[in-house]
Amino acid sequence: MKTLNIAVIEGDGIGPEVTREAMAAADAAGRLCGAEFRWTKYPWGTDYYFEHNRMAPRDFLDQLAGHDAILLGAVGHPQVQDHVTLNGLLLPIRRRFDQYVCLRPAFLYEGVNSPLAGKAPRSIDMLVYRENTEGEYANVGGRVYQNSDHDVAIQTSVFTRRGCERIIRAAFEKARTRPRKRVASITKSNAQGYGMVLWDECFAGVASDFPEIATESLLIDRAVMEFVRRPESFDVVVASNLFGDILTDLAAIVVGSMGLAASGNIDPTRKSPSMFEPVHGSAPDITGKGIANPLAAILSAAMMLEHLQLDAAAASIHRAVADLLRTGGPRSPDLGGTAKTSEVGQSIIARIRG
Ligand code: GGG
């Protein structure tokens, strides 16, 4: 039996509720291919913040470093500003472990309705490559004359040739393995005339190494329109940190629910642990009601298994999710059902076990 050490940060709000189901699904799937998981839970997030005035202990990155992967639930609390929760936990993890690929699939499952009319099952199938270590999330800037009439805030985006080229290249390499072989790059380089012009130059340069891949470059304002008008036409999409984040919420809703949106923050070199988390946040409005959709967390666990090269285990989760949705299995209220989080989770496990 192969044992993998996974750090678990359940975090805030519905984080613990959905992460519980994701761990159970991974345990069931792992057993199928001779793998087991040693889960180490770290109680970090806003409860920790209320006690210690920080989201995690000073050495939290060192504590995480030795694990094979990190599974995260959600962070955020209505009484704590979101920049505190994000900068205190999530972003330092992404940067320290150089998780420069944020991979976010959006797939229209059979049995799930898109809010857009007339979309056939499986007709929308895109993979967004979000740059994950720099760009608009670089956290460079400052404040002066705070809380006065002269209050000044400077927020700088950071785009580097290395940072742009490596995420764009990762997107092209993936596109090469997919049937449609298309990459769309999304910027706002007409208005962001330094960083995003560099991005466009890098895109053109990397594209020339992949002549078999069809490309398009869209400005973000046109891209949001086309995500609604012709979502089927997108295959692999590559975008900056901020644009990738916004576009993947849109893509998640176009394929039916935030409750199905999984993500991986990946260090492709495998030198450091990668982190897997549902795209959704802590959802304080439904916390404790037991009705959160666990499928985004479960699908994130499947991405983790794939990254850990447990392909058969990952495939068993993907099959279980597709089967549950296709056959009208229990579904949570975001998908029009009445099932509890635990019912959905148990139904997935029953399907994994066959
Ligand atoms: N499940 C992840 C989570 O809680 N995310 C909160 C968030 O605000 N994320 C923003 C981001 O991924 O950039």
Side-chain angles (χ1 to χ4, degrees), residues 10 12 15 18 72-76 82 85-86 90-91 94 102 104 130 132 137 241-242 244-246 248-249 261 263 265 275-283 300:
E10 296 172 316
D12 306 323
V18 297
L72 183 127
V75 287
D82 286 333
T85 53
L86 208 54
L90 269 187
L91 302 191
R94 292 175 184 166
C102 181
R104 294 185 164 185
R130 167 193 180 191
N132 213 29
Y137 276 51
N241 212 329
L242 179 63
D245 187 42
I246 297 168
T248 47
D249 273 31
S263 84
N265 304 273
M275 175 168 69
F276 300 84
E277 53 170 324
V279 174
H280 64 68
S282 56
S300 303

PDB file of all heavy atoms in Angstrom, residues 10 12 15 18 72-76 82 85-86 90-91 94 102 104 130 132 137 241-242 244-246 248-249 261 263 265 275-283 300, ligand 1:
ATOM      1  N   GLU A  10      -8.969  22.896   6.240  1.00  0.00           N
ATOM      2  CA  GLU A  10     -10.418  22.945   5.962  1.00  0.00           C
ATOM      3  C   GLU A  10     -10.890  24.393   5.877  1.00  0.00           C
ATOM      4  O   GLU A  10     -11.804  24.712   5.127  1.00  0.00           O
ATOM      5  CB  GLU A  10     -11.187  22.225   7.060  1.00  0.00           C
ATOM      6  CG  GLU A  10     -10.879  20.742   7.130  1.00  0.00           C
ATOM      7  CD  GLU A  10     -11.520  20.092   8.352  1.00  0.00           C
ATOM      8  OE1 GLU A  10     -11.452  20.681   9.443  1.00  0.00           O
ATOM      9  OE2 GLU A  10     -12.094  19.007   8.190  1.00  0.00           O
ATOM     10  N   ASP A  12     -12.585  27.968   6.547  1.00  0.00           N
ATOM     11  CA  ASP A  12     -13.743  28.666   7.123  1.00  0.00           C
ATOM     12  C   ASP A  12     -15.070  28.237   6.483  1.00  0.00           C
ATOM     13  O   ASP A  12     -15.091  27.647   5.411  1.00  0.00           O
ATOM     14  CB  ASP A  12     -13.584  30.169   6.871  1.00  0.00           C
ATOM     15  CG  ASP A  12     -12.252  30.686   7.388  1.00  0.00           C
ATOM     16  OD1 ASP A  12     -11.802  30.214   8.448  1.00  0.00           O
ATOM     17  OD2 ASP A  12     -11.654  31.554   6.718  1.00  0.00           O
ATOM     18  N   GLY A  15     -16.055  25.291   4.320  1.00  0.00           N
ATOM     19  CA  GLY A  15     -14.807  24.563   4.030  1.00  0.00           C
ATOM     20  C   GLY A  15     -14.750  23.192   4.691  1.00  0.00           C
ATOM     21  O   GLY A  15     -14.555  22.176   4.011  1.00  0.00           O
ATOM     22  N   VAL A  18     -17.377  20.570   3.159  1.00  0.00           N
ATOM     23  CA  VAL A  18     -17.110  19.972   1.840  1.00  0.00           C
ATOM     24  C   VAL A  18     -15.807  19.184   1.829  1.00  0.00           C
ATOM     25  O   VAL A  18     -15.687  18.173   1.119  1.00  0.00           O
ATOM     26  CB  VAL A  18     -17.133  21.031   0.710  1.00  0.00           C
ATOM     27  CG1 VAL A  18     -18.510  21.668   0.583  1.00  0.00           C
ATOM     28  CG2 VAL A  18     -16.058  22.105   0.890  1.00  0.00           C
ATOM     29  N   LEU A  72      -7.399  22.107   0.371  1.00  0.00           N
ATOM     30  CA  LEU A  72      -7.925  23.285   1.072  1.00  0.00           C
ATOM     31  C   LEU A  72      -9.432  23.402   0.843  1.00  0.00           C
ATOM     32  O   LEU A  72      -9.923  23.075  -0.244  1.00  0.00           O
ATOM     33  CB  LEU A  72      -7.211  24.536   0.540  1.00  0.00           C
ATOM     34  CG  LEU A  72      -7.603  25.838   1.234  1.00  0.00           C
ATOM     35  CD1 LEU A  72      -6.375  26.575   1.743  1.00  0.00           C
ATOM     36  CD2 LEU A  72      -8.372  26.767   0.310  1.00  0.00           C
ATOM     37  N   GLY A  73     -10.142  23.835   1.882  1.00  0.00           N
ATOM     38  CA  GLY A  73     -11.591  24.009   1.749  1.00  0.00           C
ATOM     39  C   GLY A  73     -11.926  25.407   1.268  1.00  0.00           C
ATOM     40  O   GLY A  73     -12.101  25.648   0.078  1.00  0.00           O
ATOM     41  N   ALA A  74     -12.002  26.348   2.193  1.00  0.00           N
ATOM     42  CA  ALA A  74     -12.363  27.717   1.824  1.00  0.00           C
ATOM     43  C   ALA A  74     -11.825  28.670   2.878  1.00  0.00           C
ATOM     44  O   ALA A  74     -11.648  28.285   4.035  1.00  0.00           O
ATOM     45  CB  ALA A  74     -13.877  27.850   1.725  1.00  0.00           C
ATOM     46  N   VAL A  75     -11.576  29.893   2.462  1.00  0.00           N
ATOM     47  CA  VAL A  75     -11.207  30.922   3.442  1.00  0.00           C
ATOM     48  C   VAL A  75     -12.064  32.162   3.241  1.00  0.00           C
ATOM     49  O   VAL A  75     -12.422  32.505   2.124  1.00  0.00           O
ATOM     50  CB  VAL A  75      -9.704  31.314   3.391  1.00  0.00           C
ATOM     51  CG1 VAL A  75      -8.827  30.225   3.969  1.00  0.00           C
ATOM     52  CG2 VAL A  75      -9.277  31.705   1.992  1.00  0.00           C
ATOM     53  N   GLY A  76     -12.382  32.804   4.353  1.00  0.00           N
ATOM     54  CA  GLY A  76     -13.176  34.034   4.287  1.00  0.00           C
ATOM     55  C   GLY A  76     -14.192  34.069   5.403  1.00  0.00           C
ATOM     56  O   GLY A  76     -14.742  33.026   5.797  1.00  0.00           O
ATOM     57  N   ASP A  82     -11.471  40.582   3.248  1.00  0.00           N
ATOM     58  CA  ASP A  82     -11.020  39.469   2.410  1.00  0.00           C
ATOM     59  C   ASP A  82      -9.539  39.559   2.042  1.00  0.00           C
ATOM     60  O   ASP A  82      -8.891  38.540   1.811  1.00  0.00           O
ATOM     61  CB  ASP A  82     -11.865  39.389   1.138  1.00  0.00           C
ATOM     62  CG  ASP A  82     -13.257  38.833   1.431  1.00  0.00           C
ATOM     63  OD1 ASP A  82     -13.391  38.068   2.405  1.00  0.00           O
ATOM     64  OD2 ASP A  82     -14.201  39.174   0.700  1.00  0.00           O
ATOM     65  N   THR A  85      -7.640  37.641   4.733  1.00  0.00           N
ATOM     66  CA  THR A  85      -7.692  36.171   4.668  1.00  0.00           C
ATOM     67  C   THR A  85      -6.896  35.633   3.474  1.00  0.00           C
ATOM     68  O   THR A  85      -6.204  34.627   3.575  1.00  0.00           O
ATOM     69  CB  THR A  85      -9.149  35.668   4.605  1.00  0.00           C
ATOM     70  OG1 THR A  85      -9.831  36.319   3.542  1.00  0.00           O
ATOM     71  CG2 THR A  85      -9.879  35.950   5.896  1.00  0.00           C
ATOM     72  N   LEU A  86      -6.993  36.353   2.363  1.00  0.00           N
ATOM     73  CA  LEU A  86      -6.310  35.883   1.147  1.00  0.00           C
ATOM     74  C   LEU A  86      -4.793  36.035   1.274  1.00  0.00           C
ATOM     75  O   LEU A  86      -4.030  35.110   1.006  1.00  0.00           O
ATOM     76  CB  LEU A  86      -6.833  36.691  -0.041  1.00  0.00           C
ATOM     77  CG  LEU A  86      -6.813  36.019  -1.400  1.00  0.00           C
ATOM     78  CD1 LEU A  86      -7.533  34.694  -1.378  1.00  0.00           C
ATOM     79  CD2 LEU A  86      -7.452  36.941  -2.450  1.00  0.00           C
ATOM     80  N   LEU A  90      -3.770  31.961   1.602  1.00  0.00           N
ATOM     81  CA  LEU A  90      -3.764  31.362   0.260  1.00  0.00           C
ATOM     82  C   LEU A  90      -2.615  31.842  -0.618  1.00  0.00           C
ATOM     83  O   LEU A  90      -1.913  31.049  -1.239  1.00  0.00           O
ATOM     84  CB  LEU A  90      -5.072  31.723  -0.450  1.00  0.00           C
ATOM     85  CG  LEU A  90      -6.244  30.769  -0.309  1.00  0.00           C
ATOM     86  CD1 LEU A  90      -7.390  31.195  -1.203  1.00  0.00           C
ATOM     87  CD2 LEU A  90      -5.790  29.395  -0.715  1.00  0.00           C
ATOM     88  N   LEU A  91      -2.452  33.162  -0.696  1.00  0.00           N
ATOM     89  CA  LEU A  91      -1.476  33.690  -1.658  1.00  0.00           C
ATOM     90  C   LEU A  91      -0.033  33.351  -1.278  1.00  0.00           C
ATOM     91  O   LEU A  91       0.753  33.004  -2.165  1.00  0.00           O
ATOM     92  CB  LEU A  91      -1.665  35.201  -1.856  1.00  0.00           C
ATOM     93  CG  LEU A  91      -3.058  35.626  -2.351  1.00  0.00           C
ATOM     94  CD1 LEU A  91      -3.060  37.094  -2.777  1.00  0.00           C
ATOM     95  CD2 LEU A  91      -3.547  34.756  -3.493  1.00  0.00           C
ATOM     96  N   ARG A  94       0.589  29.845  -2.534  1.00  0.00           N
ATOM     97  CA  ARG A  94       0.775  29.762  -3.992  1.00  0.00           C
ATOM     98  C   ARG A  94       2.159  30.259  -4.406  1.00  0.00           C
ATOM     99  O   ARG A  94       2.790  29.702  -5.298  1.00  0.00           O
ATOM    100  CB  ARG A  94      -0.312  30.587  -4.699  1.00  0.00           C
ATOM    101  CG  ARG A  94      -1.703  29.989  -4.547  1.00  0.00           C
ATOM    102  CD  ARG A  94      -2.744  30.912  -5.154  1.00  0.00           C
ATOM    103  NE  ARG A  94      -4.094  30.404  -4.931  1.00  0.00           N
ATOM    104  CZ  ARG A  94      -5.192  31.123  -5.109  1.00  0.00           C
ATOM    105  NH1 ARG A  94      -5.107  32.378  -5.528  1.00  0.00           N
ATOM    106  NH2 ARG A  94      -6.381  30.600  -4.887  1.00  0.00           N
ATOM    107  N   CYS A 102      -2.635  27.742 -12.132  1.00  0.00           N
ATOM    108  CA  CYS A 102      -3.932  27.503 -11.500  1.00  0.00           C
ATOM    109  C   CYS A 102      -4.838  26.946 -12.594  1.00  0.00           C
ATOM    110  O   CYS A 102      -5.194  27.646 -13.545  1.00  0.00           O
ATOM    111  CB  CYS A 102      -4.513  28.784 -10.905  1.00  0.00           C
ATOM    112  SG  CYS A 102      -6.097  28.483 -10.108  1.00  0.00           S
ATOM    113  N   ARG A 104      -8.233  25.352 -13.899  1.00  0.00           N
ATOM    114  CA  ARG A 104      -9.660  25.366 -13.540  1.00  0.00           C
ATOM    115  C   ARG A 104     -10.518  24.894 -14.720  1.00  0.00           C
ATOM    116  O   ARG A 104     -10.761  25.645 -15.664  1.00  0.00           O
ATOM    117  CB  ARG A 104     -10.065  26.791 -13.123  1.00  0.00           C
ATOM    118  CG  ARG A 104      -9.373  27.233 -11.841  1.00  0.00           C
ATOM    119  CD  ARG A 104      -9.854  28.578 -11.355  1.00  0.00           C
ATOM    120  NE  ARG A 104      -9.474  28.803  -9.965  1.00  0.00           N
ATOM    121  CZ  ARG A 104      -9.851  29.851  -9.248  1.00  0.00           C
ATOM    122  NH1 ARG A 104     -10.610  30.780  -9.784  1.00  0.00           N
ATOM    123  NH2 ARG A 104      -9.470  29.979  -7.995  1.00  0.00           N
ATOM    124  N   ARG A 130      -4.826  29.765 -15.331  1.00  0.00           N
ATOM    125  CA  ARG A 130      -4.709  31.083 -14.698  1.00  0.00           C
ATOM    126  C   ARG A 130      -3.292  31.241 -14.141  1.00  0.00           C
ATOM    127  O   ARG A 130      -2.826  30.371 -13.394  1.00  0.00           O
ATOM    128  CB  ARG A 130      -5.741  31.159 -13.569  1.00  0.00           C
ATOM    129  CG  ARG A 130      -5.571  32.308 -12.629  1.00  0.00           C
ATOM    130  CD  ARG A 130      -6.448  32.100 -11.394  1.00  0.00           C
ATOM    131  NE  ARG A 130      -6.305  33.202 -10.473  1.00  0.00           N
ATOM    132  CZ  ARG A 130      -6.771  33.219  -9.229  1.00  0.00           C
ATOM    133  NH1 ARG A 130      -7.427  32.166  -8.763  1.00  0.00           N
ATOM    134  NH2 ARG A 130      -6.599  34.256  -8.463  1.00  0.00           N
ATOM    135  N   ASN A 132      -0.628  32.262 -11.590  1.00  0.00           N
ATOM    136  CA  ASN A 132      -0.997  32.137 -10.180  1.00  0.00           C
ATOM    137  C   ASN A 132       0.020  32.696  -9.193  1.00  0.00           C
ATOM    138  O   ASN A 132      -0.136  32.512  -7.988  1.00  0.00           O
ATOM    139  CB  ASN A 132      -1.198  30.632  -9.884  1.00  0.00           C
ATOM    140  CG  ASN A 132      -2.262  30.353  -8.863  1.00  0.00           C
ATOM    141  OD1 ASN A 132      -3.216  31.121  -8.719  1.00  0.00           O
ATOM    142  ND2 ASN A 132      -2.120  29.253  -8.145  1.00  0.00           N
ATOM    143  N   TYR A 137      -2.068  40.054  -8.668  1.00  0.00           N
ATOM    144  CA  TYR A 137      -2.054  39.558  -7.286  1.00  0.00           C
ATOM    145  C   TYR A 137      -0.678  39.700  -6.637  1.00  0.00           C
ATOM    146  O   TYR A 137      -0.428  39.137  -5.569  1.00  0.00           O
ATOM    147  CB  TYR A 137      -2.443  38.079  -7.260  1.00  0.00           C
ATOM    148  CG  TYR A 137      -3.932  37.786  -7.261  1.00  0.00           C
ATOM    149  CD1 TYR A 137      -4.784  38.360  -8.201  1.00  0.00           C
ATOM    150  CD2 TYR A 137      -4.481  36.907  -6.338  1.00  0.00           C
ATOM    151  CE1 TYR A 137      -6.138  38.066  -8.213  1.00  0.00           C
ATOM    152  CE2 TYR A 137      -5.839  36.615  -6.342  1.00  0.00           C
ATOM    153  CZ  TYR A 137      -6.653  37.192  -7.288  1.00  0.00           C
ATOM    154  OH  TYR A 137      -7.992  36.899  -7.288  1.00  0.00           O
ATOM    155  N   ASN A 241      -3.638  36.437 -13.536  1.00  0.00           N
ATOM    156  CA  ASN A 241      -4.131  36.023 -12.225  1.00  0.00           C
ATOM    157  C   ASN A 241      -5.555  36.533 -11.959  1.00  0.00           C
ATOM    158  O   ASN A 241      -6.470  35.760 -11.630  1.00  0.00           O
ATOM    159  CB  ASN A 241      -3.149  36.581 -11.173  1.00  0.00           C
ATOM    160  CG  ASN A 241      -3.019  35.689  -9.968  1.00  0.00           C
ATOM    161  OD1 ASN A 241      -3.959  35.011  -9.591  1.00  0.00           O
ATOM    162  ND2 ASN A 241      -1.860  35.689  -9.339  1.00  0.00           N
ATOM    163  N   LEU A 242      -5.755  37.826 -12.133  1.00  0.00           N
ATOM    164  CA  LEU A 242      -7.074  38.419 -11.845  1.00  0.00           C
ATOM    165  C   LEU A 242      -8.108  38.018 -12.895  1.00  0.00           C
ATOM    166  O   LEU A 242      -9.221  37.598 -12.559  1.00  0.00           O
ATOM    167  CB  LEU A 242      -6.940  39.950 -11.804  1.00  0.00           C
ATOM    168  CG  LEU A 242      -8.219  40.729 -11.533  1.00  0.00           C
ATOM    169  CD1 LEU A 242      -8.784  40.421 -10.154  1.00  0.00           C
ATOM    170  CD2 LEU A 242      -7.966  42.235 -11.666  1.00  0.00           C
ATOM    171  N   GLY A 244      -8.069  35.470 -14.872  1.00  0.00           N
ATOM    172  CA  GLY A 244      -8.341  34.031 -14.767  1.00  0.00           C
ATOM    173  C   GLY A 244      -9.316  33.743 -13.639  1.00  0.00           C
ATOM    174  O   GLY A 244     -10.194  32.888 -13.756  1.00  0.00           O
ATOM    175  N   ASP A 245      -9.178  34.470 -12.541  1.00  0.00           N
ATOM    176  CA  ASP A 245     -10.076  34.270 -11.400  1.00  0.00           C
ATOM    177  C   ASP A 245     -11.512  34.655 -11.764  1.00  0.00           C
ATOM    178  O   ASP A 245     -12.462  33.908 -11.518  1.00  0.00           O
ATOM    179  CB  ASP A 245      -9.573  35.112 -10.220  1.00  0.00           C
ATOM    180  CG  ASP A 245     -10.351  34.818  -8.941  1.00  0.00           C
ATOM    181  OD1 ASP A 245     -10.630  33.639  -8.684  1.00  0.00           O
ATOM    182  OD2 ASP A 245     -10.692  35.768  -8.222  1.00  0.00           O
ATOM    183  N   ILE A 246     -11.650  35.808 -12.387  1.00  0.00           N
ATOM    184  CA  ILE A 246     -13.007  36.295 -12.721  1.00  0.00           C
ATOM    185  C   ILE A 246     -13.644  35.402 -13.798  1.00  0.00           C
ATOM    186  O   ILE A 246     -14.810  35.000 -13.685  1.00  0.00           O
ATOM    187  CB  ILE A 246     -12.938  37.763 -13.193  1.00  0.00           C
ATOM    188  CG1 ILE A 246     -12.416  38.657 -12.045  1.00  0.00           C
ATOM    189  CG2 ILE A 246     -14.292  38.249 -13.683  1.00  0.00           C
ATOM    190  CD1 ILE A 246     -12.039  40.068 -12.469  1.00  0.00           C
ATOM    191  N   THR A 248     -13.193  32.352 -14.445  1.00  0.00           N
ATOM    192  CA  THR A 248     -13.573  30.996 -14.034  1.00  0.00           C
ATOM    193  C   THR A 248     -14.832  30.984 -13.168  1.00  0.00           C
ATOM    194  O   THR A 248     -15.513  29.961 -13.102  1.00  0.00           O
ATOM    195  CB  THR A 248     -12.404  30.268 -13.329  1.00  0.00           C
ATOM    196  OG1 THR A 248     -11.816  31.127 -12.352  1.00  0.00           O
ATOM    197  CG2 THR A 248     -11.347  29.868 -14.335  1.00  0.00           C
ATOM    198  N   ASP A 249     -15.154  32.088 -12.533  1.00  0.00           N
ATOM    199  CA  ASP A 249     -16.473  32.169 -11.881  1.00  0.00           C
ATOM    200  C   ASP A 249     -17.558  32.215 -12.949  1.00  0.00           C
ATOM    201  O   ASP A 249     -18.598  31.549 -12.839  1.00  0.00           O
ATOM    202  CB  ASP A 249     -16.583  33.417 -10.998  1.00  0.00           C
ATOM    203  CG  ASP A 249     -16.049  33.175  -9.579  1.00  0.00           C
ATOM    204  OD1 ASP A 249     -15.124  32.344  -9.446  1.00  0.00           O
ATOM    205  OD2 ASP A 249     -16.541  33.808  -8.631  1.00  0.00           O
ATOM    206  N   ALA A 261     -17.204  23.659  -9.489  1.00  0.00           N
ATOM    207  CA  ALA A 261     -15.952  24.222 -10.007  1.00  0.00           C
ATOM    208  C   ALA A 261     -14.757  23.825  -9.139  1.00  0.00           C
ATOM    209  O   ALA A 261     -14.613  24.263  -8.002  1.00  0.00           O
ATOM    210  CB  ALA A 261     -16.057  25.745 -10.085  1.00  0.00           C
ATOM    211  N   SER A 263     -10.418  23.239  -8.639  1.00  0.00           N
ATOM    212  CA  SER A 263      -9.177  23.861  -9.102  1.00  0.00           C
ATOM    213  C   SER A 263      -7.956  23.226  -8.468  1.00  0.00           C
ATOM    214  O   SER A 263      -8.011  22.640  -7.371  1.00  0.00           O
ATOM    215  CB  SER A 263      -9.192  25.372  -8.853  1.00  0.00           C
ATOM    216  OG  SER A 263      -8.789  25.676  -7.544  1.00  0.00           O
ATOM    217  N   ASN A 265      -3.804  24.318  -7.749  1.00  0.00           N
ATOM    218  CA  ASN A 265      -2.703  25.286  -7.793  1.00  0.00           C
ATOM    219  C   ASN A 265      -1.439  24.437  -7.884  1.00  0.00           C
ATOM    220  O   ASN A 265      -1.050  23.809  -6.891  1.00  0.00           O
ATOM    221  CB  ASN A 265      -2.672  26.125  -6.516  1.00  0.00           C
ATOM    222  CG  ASN A 265      -3.999  26.832  -6.281  1.00  0.00           C
ATOM    223  OD1 ASN A 265      -4.229  27.912  -6.781  1.00  0.00           O
ATOM    224  ND2 ASN A 265      -4.887  26.197  -5.513  1.00  0.00           N
ATOM    225  N   MET A 275      -1.519  22.501  -4.409  1.00  0.00           N
ATOM    226  CA  MET A 275      -2.689  22.680  -3.512  1.00  0.00           C
ATOM    227  C   MET A 275      -3.984  22.606  -4.336  1.00  0.00           C
ATOM    228  O   MET A 275      -4.085  23.225  -5.398  1.00  0.00           O
ATOM    229  CB  MET A 275      -2.590  24.040  -2.818  1.00  0.00           C
ATOM    230  CG  MET A 275      -3.798  24.396  -1.970  1.00  0.00           C
ATOM    231  SD  MET A 275      -3.482  25.820  -0.909  1.00  0.00           S
ATOM    232  CE  MET A 275      -3.361  27.145  -2.104  1.00  0.00           C
ATOM    233  N   PHE A 276      -4.958  21.898  -3.793  1.00  0.00           N
ATOM    234  CA  PHE A 276      -6.207  21.661  -4.514  1.00  0.00           C
ATOM    235  C   PHE A 276      -7.366  22.200  -3.688  1.00  0.00           C
ATOM    236  O   PHE A 276      -7.451  21.944  -2.480  1.00  0.00           O
ATOM    237  CB  PHE A 276      -6.329  20.163  -4.826  1.00  0.00           C
ATOM    238  CG  PHE A 276      -5.166  19.713  -5.682  1.00  0.00           C
ATOM    239  CD1 PHE A 276      -3.954  19.356  -5.102  1.00  0.00           C
ATOM    240  CD2 PHE A 276      -5.255  19.764  -7.055  1.00  0.00           C
ATOM    241  CE1 PHE A 276      -2.852  19.026  -5.879  1.00  0.00           C
ATOM    242  CE2 PHE A 276      -4.161  19.433  -7.850  1.00  0.00           C
ATOM    243  CZ  PHE A 276      -2.958  19.059  -7.264  1.00  0.00           C
ATOM    244  N   GLU A 277      -8.254  22.929  -4.336  1.00  0.00           N
ATOM    245  CA  GLU A 277      -9.331  23.613  -3.596  1.00  0.00           C
ATOM    246  C   GLU A 277     -10.518  23.878  -4.522  1.00  0.00           C
ATOM    247  O   GLU A 277     -10.337  24.134  -5.712  1.00  0.00           O
ATOM    248  CB  GLU A 277      -8.832  24.966  -3.069  1.00  0.00           C
ATOM    249  CG  GLU A 277      -8.229  25.832  -4.158  1.00  0.00           C
ATOM    250  CD  GLU A 277      -7.946  27.273  -3.753  1.00  0.00           C
ATOM    251  OE1 GLU A 277      -8.733  27.836  -2.981  1.00  0.00           O
ATOM    252  OE2 GLU A 277      -6.962  27.832  -4.257  1.00  0.00           O
ATOM    253  N   PRO A 278     -11.727  23.824  -3.989  1.00  0.00           N
ATOM    254  CA  PRO A 278     -12.856  24.261  -4.812  1.00  0.00           C
ATOM    255  C   PRO A 278     -12.713  25.752  -5.106  1.00  0.00           C
ATOM    256  O   PRO A 278     -12.118  26.487  -4.314  1.00  0.00           O
ATOM    257  CB  PRO A 278     -14.073  23.991  -3.923  1.00  0.00           C
ATOM    258  CG  PRO A 278     -13.546  23.918  -2.528  1.00  0.00           C
ATOM    259  CD  PRO A 278     -12.127  23.437  -2.631  1.00  0.00           C
ATOM    260  N   VAL A 279     -13.256  26.176  -6.235  1.00  0.00           N
ATOM    261  CA  VAL A 279     -13.157  27.599  -6.596  1.00  0.00           C
ATOM    262  C   VAL A 279     -14.001  28.453  -5.647  1.00  0.00           C
ATOM    263  O   VAL A 279     -13.656  29.591  -5.343  1.00  0.00           O
ATOM    264  CB  VAL A 279     -13.604  27.811  -8.071  1.00  0.00           C
ATOM    265  CG1 VAL A 279     -13.662  29.290  -8.422  1.00  0.00           C
ATOM    266  CG2 VAL A 279     -12.659  27.070  -9.020  1.00  0.00           C
ATOM    267  N   HIS A 280     -15.085  27.879  -5.150  1.00  0.00           N
ATOM    268  CA  HIS A 280     -15.986  28.674  -4.310  1.00  0.00           C
ATOM    269  C   HIS A 280     -15.340  29.082  -2.996  1.00  0.00           C
ATOM    270  O   HIS A 280     -14.339  28.496  -2.566  1.00  0.00           O
ATOM    271  CB  HIS A 280     -17.290  27.925  -4.037  1.00  0.00           C
ATOM    272  CG  HIS A 280     -17.125  26.654  -3.248  1.00  0.00           C
ATOM    273  ND1 HIS A 280     -16.748  26.631  -1.936  1.00  0.00           N
ATOM    274  CD2 HIS A 280     -17.307  25.354  -3.602  1.00  0.00           C
ATOM    275  CE1 HIS A 280     -16.708  25.375  -1.496  1.00  0.00           C
ATOM    276  NE2 HIS A 280     -17.031  24.580  -2.493  1.00  0.00           N
ATOM    277  N   GLY A 281     -15.933  30.070  -2.364  1.00  0.00           N
ATOM    278  CA  GLY A 281     -15.432  30.559  -1.082  1.00  0.00           C
ATOM    279  C   GLY A 281     -16.144  29.903   0.087  1.00  0.00           C
ATOM    280  O   GLY A 281     -16.698  28.794  -0.040  1.00  0.00           O
ATOM    281  N   SER A 282     -16.170  30.606   1.217  1.00  0.00           N
ATOM    282  CA  SER A 282     -16.638  30.005   2.467  1.00  0.00           C
ATOM    283  C   SER A 282     -18.162  30.014   2.611  1.00  0.00           C
ATOM    284  O   SER A 282     -18.701  29.375   3.508  1.00  0.00           O
ATOM    285  CB  SER A 282     -15.997  30.728   3.650  1.00  0.00           C
ATOM    286  OG  SER A 282     -16.292  32.115   3.574  1.00  0.00           O
ATOM    287  N   ALA A 283     -18.871  30.754   1.761  1.00  0.00           N
ATOM    288  CA  ALA A 283     -20.343  30.761   1.710  1.00  0.00           C
ATOM    289  C   ALA A 283     -20.994  30.903   3.081  1.00  0.00           C
ATOM    290  O   ALA A 283     -21.725  30.009   3.527  1.00  0.00           O
ATOM    291  CB  ALA A 283     -20.860  29.508   0.986  1.00  0.00           C
ATOM    292  N   SER A 300     -11.962  18.511  -6.883  1.00  0.00           N
ATOM    293  CA  SER A 300     -10.614  19.032  -6.599  1.00  0.00           C
ATOM    294  C   SER A 300      -9.733  17.912  -6.049  1.00  0.00           C
ATOM    295  O   SER A 300      -8.541  17.819  -6.382  1.00  0.00           O
ATOM    296  CB  SER A 300     -10.673  20.193  -5.596  1.00  0.00           C
ATOM    297  OG  SER A 300     -11.502  21.224  -6.084  1.00  0.00           O
TER     298      SER A 300
HETATM  299  N1  GGG B   1     -11.908  27.705  -1.914  1.00  0.00           N
HETATM  300  C1  GGG B   1     -10.994  28.712  -2.054  1.00  0.00           C
HETATM  301  C2  GGG B   1     -11.368  30.013  -1.417  1.00  0.00           C
HETATM  302  O1  GGG B   1     -11.872  30.084  -0.326  1.00  0.00           O
HETATM  303  N2  GGG B   1     -11.073  31.053  -2.128  1.00  0.00           N
HETATM  304  C3  GGG B   1     -11.338  32.362  -1.656  1.00  0.00           C
HETATM  305  C4  GGG B   1     -10.871  33.407  -2.579  1.00  0.00           C
HETATM  306  O2  GGG B   1     -11.251  34.531  -2.412  1.00  0.00           O
HETATM  307  N3  GGG B   1     -10.063  33.092  -3.568  1.00  0.00           N
HETATM  308  C5  GGG B   1      -9.580  34.049  -4.483  1.00  0.00           C
HETATM  309  C6  GGG B   1      -8.582  33.475  -5.380  1.00  0.00           C
HETATM  310  O3  GGG B   1      -8.501  32.265  -5.565  1.00  0.00           O
HETATM  311  O4  GGG B   1      -7.835  34.232  -5.973  1.00  0.00           O
END
